[in-house]
């Protein structure tokens, strides 16, 4: 990060700070935000974590999570803390439209903004940018940030647990975006007392019966395989959402099952939401879903994990997605 000395000076006296992460926060959004929250609190800053929408129940155990302010449920309180902020950290998102209304609220403010993020093509909306598209997770970058500030010794157990959560969720339990550096960091987190077995149990063995049956329904009744394009699709309708009483976060990870097939390179999980159709895309190897999400579905993300949306109905969106595949046939078959 350029101007790290300036930022160090800003943080040398207690400040009112907010940390913002993206809509529909995942383990990395919450893990990185709460890790930074605990770190900054330990230096006497007054810190608030702001989320545009509610976090999934599976993260209820995380230290500090109940302190998060959710714009959807507490818009007035959110406005109040945002107005008081002297510094604004933006974590795990690369453009203000990823935080909806909260983006409009912070854009005109004079408070300095600091971006810490690992998504491709970050937009230059922040005063300080820490962008590393090779990082496994924003949580890994929060660790890097603390090191950069010269505070390795100040990392407490709560910070370590939150960093671990961001890393373990964004790497699919150390399956992708790993590096020797990442494993060294994780080793240090364990040395600080993180109980990795307990945390993985809390995070990944948390489904209820209904969710496991929903997974079965997706694989048995809603999956379509297009062998010619090495592509798998799972599409859920509004009725599926009603029948299975699906709530936020409960479909997390279903898209990855498609990639368990040897001959699949591209996976799409397409869901009918109240106002939009949401696409969750995954790929193997060099095939970039970021390209498809950005060019055709107003989205983005990473090479092997991206998302986007469409204002067209589910059927039309599915048709559009399938009609794109011939264009990518050659690269899909190169894997
Ligand atoms: P997921 O499929 O798990 O929702 O998201 C996968 C990746 O794509 C995440 O890094 C997420 O930030 C990004 N992503 C998901 N939806 C969108 C979207 O609508 N717009 C953009 N720019 N990125 C998205
Ligand atoms: Mn992330």
């Amino acid at each position: 990060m350029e101007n790290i000395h300036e930022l160090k000076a800003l943080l040398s006296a207690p400040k009112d700070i907010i940390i913002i992460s993206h809509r529909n926060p995942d383990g990395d959004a919450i893990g990185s935000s709460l890790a930074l929250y605990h770190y900054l609190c330990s230096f006497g800053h007054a810190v608030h974590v702001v989320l545009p929408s509610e976090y999934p129940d599976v993260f209820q155990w995380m230290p500090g999570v109940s302190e998060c302010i959710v714009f959807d449920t507490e818009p007035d309180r959110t406005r109040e803390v945002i107005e008081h902020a002297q510094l604004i950290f933006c974590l795990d998102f690369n453009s203000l439209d990823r935080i909806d209304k909260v983006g409009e609220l912070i854009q005109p403010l004079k408070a300095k903004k600091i971006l810490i993020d690992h998504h491709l093509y970050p937009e230059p909306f922040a005063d300080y940018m820490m962008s590393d598209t090779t990082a496994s997770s924003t949580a890994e970058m929060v660790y890097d940030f603390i090191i950069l500030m010269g505070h390795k010794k100040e990392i407490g157990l709560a910070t370590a647990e939150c960093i671990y959560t961001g890393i373990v969720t964004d790497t699919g339990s150390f399956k992708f975006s790993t590096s020797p550096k990442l494993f060294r960091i994780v080793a240090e987190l364990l040395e600080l007392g993180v109980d990795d077995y307990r945390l993985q149990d809390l995070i990944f063995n948390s489904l209820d019966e209904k969710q496991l049956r929903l997974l079965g329904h997706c694989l048995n009744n809603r999956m379509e395989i297009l062998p010619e394009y090495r592509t798998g699709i799972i599409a859920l309708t509004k009725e599926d959402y009603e029948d299975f009483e699906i709530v936020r976060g409960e479909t997390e990870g279903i898209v990855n099952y498609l990639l368990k097939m040897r001959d699949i390179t591209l996976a799409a999980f397409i869901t009918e939401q109240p106002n939009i159709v949401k696409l969750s895309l995954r790929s193997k190897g060099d095939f970039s879903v970021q390209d498809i999400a950005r060019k055709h579905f107003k989205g983005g993300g990473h090479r092997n994990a991206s998302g986007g949306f469409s204002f067209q109905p589910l059927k039309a969106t599915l048709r559009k997605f399938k009609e794109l595949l011939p264009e990518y046939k050659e690269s899909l078959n190169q894997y």
Side-chain angles (χ1 to χ4, degrees), residues 168-173 175-176 204 215 218-219 223 232-234 251-262 264-269 280-284 289 304-306:
V168 81
T169 52
D170 254 27
T171 60
S173 305
K175 282 197 281 294
F176 30 77
F204 298 114
L215 174 63
C218 286
L219 301 179
M223 182 174 87
I233 303 173
I234 292 173
T251 56
E252 191 73 41
I254 292 178
V255 62
N256 296 311
Y257 282 87
L258 292 163
L259 293 185
K260 288 188 182 284
M261 282 181 64
R262 190 178 40 236
I264 292 294
T265 308
L266 168 61
F269 183 63
S280 212
L281 304 175
R282 299 290 185 272
S283 64
K284 289 179 190 159
V289 281
N304 297 123
S306 281

Side-chain angles (χ1 to χ4, degrees), residues 8-175:
K8 272 186 185 168
L10 282 172
L11 288 169
S12 65
K15 292 262 174 338
D16 284 313
I17 298 177
I18 56 170
I19 299 167
I20 303 177
S21 198
H22 60 79
R23 164 163 284 277
N24 298 336
D26 55 13
D28 190 31
I30 300 170
S32 60
S33 297
L34 289 175
L36 187 65
Y37 167 84
H38 291 293
Y39 162 71
L40 291 172
C41 284
S42 74
F43 282 86
H45 300 289
V47 192
H48 292 286
V49 174
V50 168
L51 301 170
S53 67
E54 204 46 270
Y55 55 86
D57 269 351
V58 55
F59 301 114
Q60 205 63 57
W61 62 271
M62 290 185 70
V65 77
S66 57
E67 306 291 319
C68 292
I69 302 172
V70 178
F71 176 79
D72 277 353
T73 50
E74 290 189 283
D76 294 337
R77 176 127 191 272
T78 307
R79 281 197 185 88
E80 197 185 306
V81 296
I82 285 180
E83 275 163 23
H84 277 97
Q86 294 170 291
L87 284 176
I88 302 174
F89 280 88
C90 299
L91 265 56
D92 202 38
F93 65 92
N94 59 359
S95 71
L96 287 180
D97 61 13
R98 294 282 289 136
I99 54 172
D100 305 341
K101 264 261 159 36
V102 179
E104 292 168 26
L105 294 177
I106 66 163
Q107 191 163 33
L109 299 183
K110 288 213 180 67
K112 296 273 188 227
K113 301 181 189 77
I114 303 109
L115 173 94
I116 304 180
D117 180 51
H118 68 137
H119 291 90
L120 294 165
Y121 312 120
E123 285 179 9
F125 65 87
D127 301 281
Y128 303 92
M129 298 261 289
M130 191 170 169
S131 161
D132 179 0
T133 58
T134 70
S136 68
S137 53
T138 302
E140 178 185 350
M141 295 182 67
V142 167
Y143 181 91
D144 296 338
F145 175 74
I146 296 173
I147 300 298
L148 209 58
M149 298 297 287
H151 291 147
K152 186 172 176 172
K153 293 223 160 62
E154 319 301 326
I155 301 178
L157 181 58
T159 306
E161 287 184 334
C162 295
I163 293 175
Y164 181 88
T165 300
I167 291 173
V168 81
T169 52
D170 254 27
T171 60
S173 305
F174 308 109
K175 282 197 281 294

